[in-house]
Amino acid sequence: MAEACEGMSWVDKLKRYNDKHTVDKPKPTESEQEEEDEQLLGEYYIKFKNATDTDKYKLIPKFYSKPPADDEILQQKLREDARATFLQRRTTELMDNEELQKLWLLLEENPTPPDIGEDPMISFVDFQKIGEEVADKCKSYFTAGVFSKLLNNDPYGRISISQLFSYVMRKVWLQQTRIGLSLFDIQGLGYLKEVDLENYILELIPTLPQLKCLEESFYSFYVCTAVRKFFFFLDPMRTGKIKIQDVLACGFLDDLLELRDEDLSKDAQENNWFSAPSALRVYGQYLSLDTDHNGMLSRQELARYGTGTLTRVFVDRVFQECLTYDGEVDYKTYLDFVLAMENRKEPQALQYLYRLIDIKGQGYIDGFTLKYFFRAIQDQMKVHGHEAVKFEDVKDEIFDMVKPSDPYRITLQDLLNSGQGETVISILIDLNGFWTYENREVLLAEAQDVNTN
């Protein structure tokens, strides 16, 4: 008996025990089940009504059980196997490729006339008829709610067949992806830690043709590069975890899975953070900055980032606020820095940079803070022989751009509301950014002349 149980999962062992110790009895009919439920509900109501106030809370059914502790091995294993069984069942409930092909053929063969344009259309009546013919897995997509979502100014009240099929495909893909991500959610709490997402992306790499050029020795750096984008934008409070539903909703997975396209254009690859050229570019820049080849970046090395015109005080703030190791930053910290610098219009990037600018940690920027950072810009201008610019003029321009609720303080929310956050930050931390702002009219005129010619 013991030998027969070896190799069985905990769920199978429990099922086997349950089958052995359960007496077979006929399954109740639907009416009998309803009658039993009503009786139990009535008994519960009477018991709850007669209980004292202090005891009533004890009668409330338990609806939450905390996850098992690290030392509760049996409970953990049971939970893992139960989740795996649940996710496997959910997978079988999804439409497969053959069923999707059958759906497309059925839609293609039943368009609703008249033919207007190249895209076949379908009316609500024909939509309902097809809904009766499709497999059970597909019936949830043939509802009035789905039809109304896809309705778009057709004079005959029809919807596009291709849009309907794309909608179904998108839903199936989201469900498949959610199940795939959930397999890496070890605790089953609906979120992923960094190591969970790293394992997911590592297993995904061999399935993406656009990444076949990557050497296996680079996989760890690629995974780190990819994961940092998810956590930088989806975990701005640095909790160390992100919700699976946020991963599905953000669109980053679309960019990542775009790499399945073997014919992806060069421009699309360059604009995709997750592509091989992009990951190699970022890592190559890191190696180029690391002049002493110790795998870390010092203040002097990071100051060479971009055009090499970042101010000393700004670089110092990076090292004061970000995680360092013996006074130097590692690749992961560098990735956060790059994501902030390359996405200055995004709220998460502005939040990162604002924290560096707010030298007093007071939650707002005042005239003193602006002068502290702009003095470094003035020093750089002297070194490069540029004409001096008065601080008071720059300060007035910044406050005019932002229009804060308090005329003497600029909060992060003020910066976000103004839509000028990228410009303000660039003026304060980068000589090249300030020069571009100062000469914006000349640069615009030159660009117009180029376009005209």
Side-chain angles (χ1 to χ4, degrees), residues 11 62 76 97 169 172 196-197 218 251 270 297 329 337 396:
V11 173
K62 189 175 183 179
Q76 284 187 347
N97 289 336
M169 288 277 289
V172 172
D196 301 329
L197 192 56
F218 185 70
E270 291 177 353
L297 298 183
V329 298
F337 176 79
D396 291 342

Side-chain angles (χ1 to χ4, degrees), residues 63-79:
F63 58 89
Y64 171 76
S65 297
K66 65 179 181 179
D70 293 339
D71 58 345
E72 296 176 325
I73 307 300
L74 178 60
Q75 292 90 328
Q76 284 187 347
K77 189 63 179 176
L78 176 60
R79 182 183 176 90

Side-chain angles (χ1 to χ4, degrees), residues 380-422:
Q380 282 190 328
M381 292 176 71
K382 290 178 183 178
V383 171
H384 290 84
H386 294 175
E387 185 178 347
V389 176
K390 292 182 179 180
F391 165 70
E392 291 299 326
D393 294 339
V394 174
K395 184 187 75 171
D396 291 342
E397 285 192 47
I398 289 176
F399 274 90
D400 286 343
M401 278 191 290
V402 178
K403 296 180 175 59
S405 53
D406 185 322
Y408 301 103
R409 299 175 176 179
I410 298 175
T411 65
L412 174 60
Q413 194 58 52
D414 291 328
L415 212 56
L416 294 171
N417 293 342
S418 70
Q420 300 294 327
E422 178 185 18

